[in-house]
Amino acid sequence: MKLTQHTVRLVLAEPLRISRSTMTARDAVRLTVEHDGLSGHGEAVTSVFYGLDTRTLQRLAARTAEHLTRFDGPETALHALRVGELAPPDTPAAMTAATEAALLDLVGKRTATAVHRFLGSPVPPRAATARTISLVSPGRAAAQARGLAGAGFSVIKVKAGDRDPETDLDRVRAVRAAAPAARLLLDPNGAWPAALARTLLPRFAGLGVEAVEQPLAPGDPEALARLAARSPVPVIADEDAVTYEDARRLAGRVHGINVKLAKCGGVHAALRIAALIEDSGTDLMLGCLTASTLGIAPAVHIADRARWTDLDGHLLLAHDPWTGIGGTDGFVSTTGEPGLGVRPRGEAGAWSEAS
C-alpha cells in the first residue's frame, strides 16, 4: 500500500467568529491510500485549539505513510489501527481519524460496500444538521436565520460569548423571531464563568433554546456537571469531553456529549462513546470542525445514532473541493455508494496547493 498526501487551503465564505477567535481559512491535509488500483481518501484539518498546524499534520501524514508499508492490504491496516498497532500512541486523534477514513473508503470500494454498512446501519443515514450563526450582529443573525429557514434548515446553532451578554440574548431573540419554527442550539465555546451561566441559562430557556454546548471554560468537568444538574437548558459537553475516559466521567451527569471524530479518533472511537453513554441519560451529539465534504463524510455515516447533528463544516466554505453528502437543504446524507460515497468536484483549482 502507498499513502500520499496533498494540502489544500479551505477558505470560509465569511469569517467565523466565536468567543475565543475568528477564523477565515484553514488548511486541510488529504490522505490518499492506494492499493491494487483503487484509492481511499481521508482528511485532517489544522486546529489552533488542538495544536495542529500544517507542518505538524504533514509530518504526521509522512510518518503514517511509513507505518502503512508494513501491511499487505487496507483490511489488515484498519484492524491494526483499531487495536492501536498502526501508529505510535502519541499520534493525534485527528490523524488517526483521517487515516481510518481513508482505509474505510478504500475497503468499501474494494468490496462495493458503503461505509455505513460496515458500521451497522443497513440504510443510508440521513439527518437534519444544525447550521451555525457566528457572533454577528442581531440584525445580521436574523437575516441569516431567515434565509436558512427558507432553505429548509430546522436546526440553527447560535454562537454566544459576546463581551456583553445582552448582545447574545438579542442575537437569539432575533434568530427566534426570524425562524420561529427552528430548533435552537447555543454555543458559547466555554466563555461564561459559572455564576454568569447560572444567571443567563434561565433567560435563554425562556427564548426556547433547546440545549447549550460547553457554557463553561474547559478544564473543570466537575463544574460543568454541577451546572448541568440545575440547568433549565440541557447542557452538552464539548471541549470537556474529548476522549472515551472524559465521556465516562461525564456520562449521566450532563445531558449530551458532542463527539467530533477529529478529537476522539474516528468513527469507531465515536461509536465506543455512543455505546458507553447509551441509556445513561446523556445523549449523543455529532459535531465537526470546519472541513470539506471529505472531512465531514465519515461522521455522516453514523449520523443516525445522534440526537443532535451538527455537521455543517463544509457548508461554511467558499469552495468545497468535494461533494457527496449534501447539506444545503438542511439535511446531510450518505449516497449508498461504495466507500464514503464522496468525490472531487473536478473544478479548476480544486487541488491548488496551500500557500
Side-chain angles (χ1 to χ4, degrees):
M1 282 192 302
K2 176 184 177 183
L3 184 149
T4 58
Q5 61 172 290
H6 194 89
T7 302
V8 297
R9 188 75 167 168
L10 302 177
V11 179
L12 276 66
E14 61 179 68
L16 178 65
R17 182 185 167 217
I18 65 174
S19 59
R20 62 175 178 255
S21 64
T22 299
M23 182 175 62
T24 58
R26 72 183 344 150
D27 285 348
V29 176
R30 184 186 83 234
L31 308 183
T32 297
V33 180
E34 301 173 66
H35 185 67
D36 286 346
L38 294 173
S39 299
H41 307 284
E43 179 181 273
V45 296
T46 53
S47 170
V48 173
F49 186 82
Y50 292 110
L52 296 174
D53 59 21
T54 307
R55 289 187 177 181
T56 297
L57 288 177
Q58 291 170 338
R59 176 180 58 79
L60 290 166
R63 187 175 74 172
T64 300
E66 294 177 3
H67 290 295
L68 276 176
T69 61
R70 297 185 286 119
F71 300 94
D72 58 6
E75 293 83 2
T76 55
L78 188 59
H79 174 76
L81 180 144
R82 292 174 186 167
V83 298
E85 296 177 355
L86 190 152
D90 64 347
T91 302
M95 184 54 58
T96 301
T99 305
E100 180 195 47
L103 291 171
L104 281 169
D105 190 33
L106 180 52
V107 171
K109 290 171 180 175
R110 279 165 57 84
T111 59
T113 305
V115 164
H116 64 82
R117 289 186 173 273
F118 291 140
L119 305 176
S121 296
V123 178
R126 182 175 186 267
T129 181
R131 180 68 158 77
T132 300
I133 292 177
S134 70
L135 294 182
V136 295
S137 70
R140 175 66 175 151
Q144 291 181 347
R146 194 173 297 111
L148 291 172
F153 284 87
S154 59
V155 187
I156 296 175
K157 183 165 87 168
V158 185
K159 291 292 186 179
D162 211 288
R163 290 184 179 181
D164 181 2
E166 293 298 325
T167 302
D168 288 336
L169 287 156
D170 288 343
R171 186 180 303 108
V172 172
R173 287 192 194 97
V175 170
R176 170 56 72 207
R183 299 163 56 198
L184 298 187
L185 305 177
L186 190 69
D187 186 7
N189 289 106
W192 296 340
L196 179 60
R198 289 192 295 270
T199 299
L200 290 176
L201 286 175
R203 300 179 69 184
F204 283 112
L207 295 174
V209 169
E210 181 175 317
V212 58
E213 285 183 61
Q214 196 68 42
L216 307 183
D220 190 352
E222 294 300 316
L224 190 69
R226 288 194 298 270
L227 178 68
R230 298 189 177 186
S231 174
V233 178
V235 172
I236 301 170
D238 183 356
E239 290 89 345
D240 267 330
V242 175
T243 66
Y244 181 89
E245 287 304 311
D246 293 337
R248 185 184 59 79
R249 283 189 288 269
L250 287 170
R253 305 177 67 203
V254 294
H255 303 91
I257 288 178
N258 186 349
V259 173
K260 298 174 181 174
L261 304 191
K263 71 176 182 179
C264 74
V267 290
H268 282 88
L271 290 175
R272 286 189 69 219
I273 293 174
L276 169 73
I277 65 176
E278 188 175 8
D279 299 325
S280 71
T282 296
D283 290 314
L284 178 69
M285 179 178 190
L286 274 178
C288 65
L289 302 182
T290 303
S292 78
T293 281
L294 175 60
I296 304 297
V300 179
H301 282 264
I302 58 171
D304 51 350
R305 271 79 159 188
R307 175 178 174 182
W308 300 284
T309 301
D310 181 23
L311 299 177
D312 69 337
H314 61 304
L315 302 177
L316 306 181
L317 302 179
H319 172 74
D320 183 354
W322 291 81
T323 186
I325 60 173
T328 57
D329 61 350
F331 292 86
V332 289
S333 60
T334 62
T335 62
E337 297 176 5
L340 292 174
V342 300
R343 57 191 178 279
R345 287 189 185 275
E347 298 176 4
W351 301 117
S352 61
E353 295 280 358
S355 57

